[in-house]
Amino acid sequence: MLRRFLAFPSRPKTAPTVSAAVRCLSSGSVDITVPLNFWAGRRRTSQESREKENVYEPATGHVLCQLEPCGREEVDQAVKAAKSAFGPWSKMSGMERARIMIEAAHLIESRREEIAEMEVVNNGKSITEARLDVDSARLCIEYYAGLASTLAGQHVQLPGGSFAYTRREPLGVCVGIGAWNYPFQIAAWKSAPALACGNAMVYKPSPVTPVTAVLLAEIYAKAGAPEGLFNVVQGGQETGSLLCHHPDVDKVSFTGSVPTGQKIMEMASKGVKPVTLELGGKSPLIIFKDSDLENAVRGALMANFLSQGQVCSNGTRVYVQKDVLAEFVEEVVKRTQAIAIGDPLLESTRMGALVSRPQLDKVLSFVEQAKKEGATVLCGGERFVPSDPKLKSGYYMTPCVLSDCTDDMTCVRDEIFGPVMSVLSFETEQEVLQRANNTTLGLAAGVFTRDVTRAHRVVEQLKAGSCFINNYNITPVEVPFGGFKMSGIGRENGQVTVEFYSQLKTVFVEMGDVDSLF
């Protein structure tokens, strides 16, 4: 198991390929020949000689594997494979597609621990969170399998016995481009509605976390999906650009930063391709003085420190009404300091490693900038070195709580994407709403209060796509998720997502003679 793989005393600093980790999950052996690209039913090696890129294990800082980016030829092969699979898949009934998707969900369930451990090794989050991510992926596939057989149009009666009807049809080849914070879950969140609607998909994971999307591809294939239905191409910006510009790609769904989302939207516009963009956030969490303070503290911790703070919807601007500020801050700091940091494969760990060295350096620089601008560091914000010598080069930091923050500070305005909570005070509801909405982003928002009327009144005025009352960062697959403003376009999860992976055809049927003016 990977737990043992991580604990070898003489573990080398480099490992040639990810298969060293993947194979040890099932057999304990090391196979260095298996690539991370997958199309037309099997893993593929590039036919051209390209410079490979190192992929690092966040927990140790050691090289985990080497990534083989896809160029024009490989992207074309993957898209052709998807186009070929689209034909028979789109002609299946919804029930037939559902059976295959349900089988994929069962396979995920049976391999839950294996997938979760591989996610930990490649991403750095705790095993506890990784298991929940795998569960979310499975539930998403099950949910859309249930919707697959319900896709239907509408019948409209017209004068004279004529009528019209609508058909909900698939788009064709969809491209999914994932982020590194939820590698396996995002691959499922994008592929499940696409496949349920009758589409095929080419998926590009983040080059930082390329591993587990390939496991999903193999699971779909084993479940009985046509060869080429779900393909994985690895690479960075160049590979993504090739996918967005490919003439046989019919839709692009992206999760990531605002600047990259803008570029993808621009590229897709050349072919007038629809896009779904789930982008960044700088979300407000508002805590009123009448809140259940215990739950408010729990909510604030969940809103800031899941996945080492690397969550787009995190409520990193925590507005606390002045009357309870001192009490709230005291409790938050106490619990933040008690968070167990270290080996993400240990059951006791609650915060693992940030995903990469550049990300760690970036987050630490935000803390330093906050100090310069007048914020007070109440706890954390420093590099953390675990006692285990095997983890000394990992990308760890102590979770940070900043006080004395103002709305114009960099830590309050910019998305940090790390375990840094900025606490601000407010006095009135009207004031905090104006401050909470004063951002170009609008992914999420939260409010804690015992006043039900106030809760709904405040949520109505918050300019955010996903709002939480007396909780935070809850993402059931039955509920749509997405943002307002520059936080994105379209939705993931929920029934509405069917509209973003299908198109409506209207058919007019004349039952009488043509009434012509000529």
Side-chain angles (χ1 to χ4, degrees):
M1 297 294 287
L2 272 175
R3 197 176 311 284
R4 298 273 60 84
F5 175 77
L6 193 71
F8 284 148
S10 58
R11 184 178 184 184
K13 289 190 176 181
T14 61
T17 71
V18 75
S19 54
V22 174
R23 290 293 181 181
C24 80
L25 285 168
S26 56
S27 66
S29 63
V30 175
D31 178 356
I32 63 171
T33 64
V34 180
L36 292 171
N37 295 305
F38 185 103
W39 58 81
R42 63 184 177 88
R43 297 194 184 219
R44 303 280 175 168
T45 303
S46 173
Q47 296 177 358
E48 298 181 21
S49 177
R50 289 191 181 86
E51 186 176 347
K52 296 181 180 180
E53 302 170 8
N54 286 337
V55 177
Y56 295 89
E57 180 183 2
T60 65
H62 297 165
V63 175
L64 173 66
C65 65
Q66 288 186 314
L67 182 74
E68 189 175 29
C70 288
R72 186 176 301 277
E73 184 176 344
E74 290 79 25
V75 166
D76 190 55
Q77 289 175 4
V79 173
K80 283 181 178 177
K83 190 173 182 180
S84 177
F86 169 70
W89 182 253
S90 63
K91 296 297 187 292
M92 288 183 182
S93 69
M95 191 67 79
E96 289 173 316
R97 293 197 294 270
R99 278 197 290 267
I100 291 172
M101 293 177 69
I102 288 292
E103 178 61 22
H106 289 164
L107 290 170
I108 290 172
E109 187 172 27
S110 69
R111 297 177 63 184
R112 179 188 190 232
E113 194 68 13
E114 172 190 344
I115 298 167
E117 290 189 350
M118 195 65 253
E119 193 84 321
V120 170
V121 168
N122 195 193
N123 169 273
K125 66 175 61 185
S126 73
I127 185 64
T128 303
E129 286 194 39
R131 291 185 186 119
L132 298 176
D133 294 353
V134 176
D135 291 343
S136 175
R138 171 182 59 80
L139 289 169
C140 185
I141 293 171
E142 288 179 351
Y143 176 76
Y144 284 106
L147 286 185
S149 61
T150 70
L151 305 181
Q154 180 185 23
H155 175 274
V156 179
Q157 189 65 48
L158 299 174
S162 298
F163 61 94
Y165 63 91
T166 58
R167 291 170 48 92
R168 187 162 292 283
E169 299 182 351
L171 298 169
V173 176
C174 298
V175 160
I177 301 177
W180 45 254
N181 55 345
Y182 289 88
F184 190 79
Q185 177 182 290
I186 291 175
W189 279 20
K190 293 189 183 303
S191 61
L195 302 189
C197 290
N199 303 288
M201 176 165 276
V202 179
Y203 187 80
K204 189 192 83 64
S206 164
V208 180
T209 53
V211 180
T212 48
V214 189
L215 301 183
L216 181 60
E218 292 176 330
I219 285 168
Y220 278 132
K222 188 174 182 181
E227 286 189 0
L229 187 67
F230 181 78
N231 311 275
V232 176
V233 295
Q234 304 288 353
Q237 183 177 347
E238 179 186 353
T239 307
S241 177
L242 289 168
L243 287 167
C244 292
H245 283 119
H246 198 288
D248 289 332
V249 166
D250 300 289
K251 187 247 170 59
V252 180
S253 176
F254 169 74
T255 297
S257 70
V258 172
T260 304
Q262 290 171 321
K263 292 176 184 176
I264 285 174
M265 190 173 184
E266 182 180 357
M267 288 186 285
S269 71
K270 301 290 193 297
V272 198
K273 299 171 185 177
V275 295
T276 293
L277 301 175
E278 197 272 275
L279 307 178
K282 192 64 184 175
S283 303
L285 173 59
I286 304 171
I287 297 170
F288 287 96
K289 63 183 179 182
D290 68 338
S291 301
D292 179 322
L293 205 62
E294 168 67 17
N295 279 324
V297 169
R298 290 180 182 179
L301 295 173
M302 290 292 287
N304 281 271
F305 299 140
L306 281 177
S307 295
Q308 296 72 252
Q310 300 166 140
V311 183
C312 52
S313 58
N314 270 359
T316 54
R317 294 185 291 145
V318 182
Y319 292 94
V320 185
Q321 203 156 23
K322 198 170 183 180
D323 308 63
V324 294
L325 179 63
E327 185 181 357
F328 172 85
V329 167
E330 180 183 2
E331 190 62 25
V332 159
V333 169
K334 182 175 74 173
R335 298 198 190 188
T336 300
Q337 290 173 323
I339 293 173
I341 312 167
D343 184 347
L345 282 172
L346 295 179
E347 298 289 343
S348 58
T349 297
R350 285 297 171 266
M351 182 170 289
L354 274 71
V355 75
S356 68
R357 171 69 66 184
Q359 185 65 17
L360 173 61
D361 292 341
K362 174 188 171 187
V363 176
L364 292 175
S365 71
F366 268 106
V367 176
E368 291 304 310
Q369 182 65 28
K371 292 180 187 176
K372 293 177 184 177
E373 294 180 10
T376 302
V377 177
L378 297 179
C379 66
E382 299 173 331
R383 182 159 182 237
F384 179 81
V385 181
S387 57
D388 187 338
K390 294 183 295 296
L391 308 177
K392 66 179 182 180
S393 298
Y395 314 134
Y396 301 91
M397 71 171 284
T398 51
C400 178
V401 178
L402 300 173
S403 69
D404 302 317
C405 297
T406 58
D407 292 318
D408 59 343
M409 288 181 178
T410 304
C411 63
V412 177
R413 289 186 291 103
D414 294 354
E415 185 176 33
I416 298 175
F417 225 63
V420 180
M421 179 193 302
S422 298
V423 180
L424 307 96
S425 67
F426 75 94
E427 294 190 7
T428 68
E429 178 181 318
Q430 184 178 5
E431 166 213 341
V432 76
L433 275 168
Q434 188 277 325
R435 293 166 63 193
N437 287 328
N438 187 24
T439 172
T440 59
L441 301 171
L443 186 55
V447 55
F448 276 82
T449 177
R450 285 190 174 97
D451 186 333
V452 176
T453 303
R454 168 190 278 156
H456 291 289
R457 182 174 66 239
V458 168
V459 162
E460 180 185 3
Q461 297 175 78
L462 286 169
K463 306 302 181 186
S466 297
C467 293
F468 305 91
I469 295 175
N470 293 330
N471 209 330
Y472 206 90
N473 269 340
I474 307 302
T475 53
V477 297
E478 304 95 327
V479 179
F481 179 79
F484 288 2
K485 299 187 279 188
M486 293 187 75
S487 286
I489 296 173
R491 290 294 180 269
E492 294 187 319
N493 293 342
Q495 293 185 34
V496 71
T497 303
V498 166
E499 297 180 13
F500 299 106
Y501 282 99
S502 62
Q503 53 195 346
L504 210 57
K505 177 182 287 181
T506 301
V507 180
F508 295 91
V509 181
E510 178 57 61
M511 299 298 289
D513 295 329
V514 174
D515 188 6
S516 175
L517 296 176
F518 306 101

